[in-house]
Amino acid sequence: MPEKREPFLRVTWTDPVTGRKGYVVIDRLIDGIAGGGTRMRAGLTMEEVERLARTMSIKNGAVRLPSGGAKGGVDIDPHDPEARALLTRFVRAMRPLLETWWATAEDMGTTQELLNEVFQEVGMRASVEASLNHSGDADAALARLAKGLSTKVGGIGMGDLVGGYGVAAAAAAAVAHRGGRLTGMRASVQGFGAMGGSTARYLNEQGVKVVAIADVKGTVANPDGLDVERLLATRTALGDIERAELGSSDRQLEREAWLAADAEILVPAAVADAITDQNAGEVRASFVVEAANIPTTEAAQAALRDRGVTVVPDFVANGGTNAWFWWVLLGRVDPAPEPSFAMISETISRTVRDLLSISDREGVTPRQAAEKVAEANLDELEREFAVAT
Ligand SMILES: NC(=O)c1ccc[n+]([C@@H]2O[C@H](COP(=O)([O-])OP(=O)(O)OC[C@H]3O[C@@H](n4cnc5c(N)ncnc54)[C@H](O)[C@@H]3O)[C@@H](O)[C@H]2O)c1
């Protein structure tokens, strides 16, 4: 782990009504701003908030987001009848931070709907008020985001495409780093929602045969490649595959069959802990590209590494969505598909190349290497913005 640095700011708040505590940690500011969720949990501590704020910096740094990491929260059970009123008092008290340095969103124990209501109640436009103010022109920032979100490519909105575009770019960079080419390879994907669906599309577009896809009901497979676009056009809003649309040579297998599919690339894009030390031995792929959050347990990562399988960590591979929202809001990319995809591809490919070089050279896991790259990116961004301002 890189040397420990003190966070930029720690705030402890005591609710005047209940005596309960609330916390905010801004791990670091990049260009005067930081982002991270607001959680509600009985037993929340300053230590937990500080660790999560740090993790947010690393996640942001990995995809070169022009924002540091932060986190906040209140120590109360979200089901407590007092919870909503307490959250409102907390937001009111933190308003000076929320208007300037700290852009927040839903997190454990809160929903974006709840935050939207509470922020409106205290007279603020959005939980990302800080980034709206930071953009220089809040109306223009919101208009850019609306434009981006309303743009569709092949029937799917950009908000549901940018994530998978990044995952496919991560796969291409990892394969190239090992001296191979995506074209002609085969992939198996768990999940056919926003992430799984778009990853399958963009792998397919790069000449990869998608030979297996799992949804919550089971795996569909075809060693010659599934018709991804047909399945995308007919899937349900929840990402369920329409079985009636399967081709005559497609097969229906049990739900976990995706894991052991005969494919070079495995993309877990559904649930956490999908690959464990119990089932890692069944993996036949040489690359695991994590589209879901924490889909590979630590023990499984170690087991796969010992077998020479490259695991591209979630916070790099799946960082395209978060990065794109921020870039668009801050006016750092045109929300149209071409420039957006180009920026995601360039950013994620570069990070994957760098992290795999460090992993090879220093014998650390790709995840540990990614943390190093993220730190270096944050330092570079900090310097870039120090010069620019
Ligand atoms: N949407 C994003 O932009 C984004 C960004 C970063 C990370 N993630 C992470 O990616 C994962 C998927 O998110 P999403 O937005 O694509 O979700 P989603 O709800 O759009 O789709 C989920 C898909 O997974 C399938 N699924 C659920 N349980 C399953 C199981 N046990 N086995 C096989 N398939 C199963 C569903 O049928 C569906 O096809 C989550 O871990 C999420 O946190 C999403």
Side-chain angles (χ1 to χ4, degrees), residues 159-164 189-198 213-219 235-241 255-256 258 268-272 290-295 314 318-322 325:
D160 283 344
L161 287 179
V162 284
V189 183
Q190 185 202 35
F192 202 52
M195 287 307 264
S198 52
I213 302 175
D215 67 5
V216 72
K217 294 180 186 157
T219 294
R235 72 178 166 179
T236 68
L238 291 175
D240 290 342
I241 295 164
R255 192 167 80 181
E256 300 311 319
W258 71 280
V271 294
E290 296 185 328
N293 288 322
I294 48 167
D314 51 8
N318 74 19
T321 314
N322 189 37
F325 271 88

Side-chain angles (χ1 to χ4, degrees), residues 25-286:
V25 175
I26 295 178
D27 178 64
R28 64 195 283 173
L29 292 173
I30 298 290
D31 193 25
I33 196 152
T38 296
R39 62 172 49 189
M40 267 207 266
R41 191 179 81 75
L44 185 74
T45 61
M46 172 61 93
E47 288 67 35
E48 180 177 341
V49 174
E50 186 170 333
R51 185 169 47 76
L52 293 164
R54 170 118 200 88
T55 304
M56 283 310 299
S57 285
I58 298 293
K59 277 190 172 187
N60 291 349
V63 287
R64 298 181 53 76
L65 216 63
S67 163
K71 206 79 171 188
V74 283
D75 173 8
I76 190 166
D77 182 333
H79 304 104
D80 189 305
E82 192 57 35
R84 193 184 188 286
L86 181 134
L87 181 66
T88 309
R89 291 191 290 274
F90 175 73
V91 168
R92 194 169 276 129
M94 295 305 125
R95 185 171 181 158
L97 292 181
L98 288 160
E99 285 180 335
T100 52
W101 287 335
W102 175 35
T104 194
E106 66 181 5
D107 202 273
M108 184 190 287
T110 62
T111 62
Q112 193 57 43
E113 289 70 35
L114 173 66
L115 290 183
N116 292 346
E117 283 170 25
V118 165
F119 274 72
Q120 269 166 27
E121 210 171 302
V122 308
M124 295 168 71
R125 286 169 296 191
S127 67
V128 293
E129 184 80 25
S131 37
L132 293 182
N133 291 337
H134 191 69
S135 69
D137 182 343
D139 291 340
L142 288 171
R144 272 195 304 275
L145 193 59
K147 180 180 167 218
L149 289 174
S150 64
T151 303
K152 289 188 173 186
V153 179
I156 305 175
M158 282 295 280
D160 283 344
L161 287 179
V162 284
Y165 194 92
V167 177
V175 168
H177 182 83
R178 297 278 180 249
R181 286 186 69 214
L182 265 191
T183 309
M185 282 189 162
R186 295 160 303 171
S188 172
V189 183
Q190 185 202 35
F192 202 52
M195 287 307 264
S198 52
T199 303
R201 168 183 279 185
Y202 291 112
L203 284 174
N204 204 224
E205 241 185 50
Q206 294 185 72
V208 174
K209 272 190 210 164
V210 179
V211 293
I213 302 175
D215 67 5
V216 72
K217 294 180 186 157
T219 294
V220 300
N222 188 332
D224 296 322
L226 293 157
D227 185 344
V228 173
E229 286 303 320
R230 185 183 175 97
L231 297 181
L232 279 175
T234 54
R235 72 178 166 179
T236 68
L238 291 175
D240 290 342
I241 295 164
E242 183 52 78
R243 264 64 185 178
E245 296 294 331
L246 293 175
S248 57
S249 55
D250 296 345
R251 287 174 301 149
Q252 296 195 51
L253 307 172
E254 49 110 9
R255 192 167 80 181
E256 300 311 319
W258 71 280
L259 183 93
D262 193 8
E264 290 75 28
I265 301 163
L266 204 55
V267 181
V271 294
D273 297 337
I275 309 175
T276 66
D277 52 344
Q278 301 295 309
N279 63 18
E282 296 169 37
V283 171
R284 290 154 88 178
S286 324

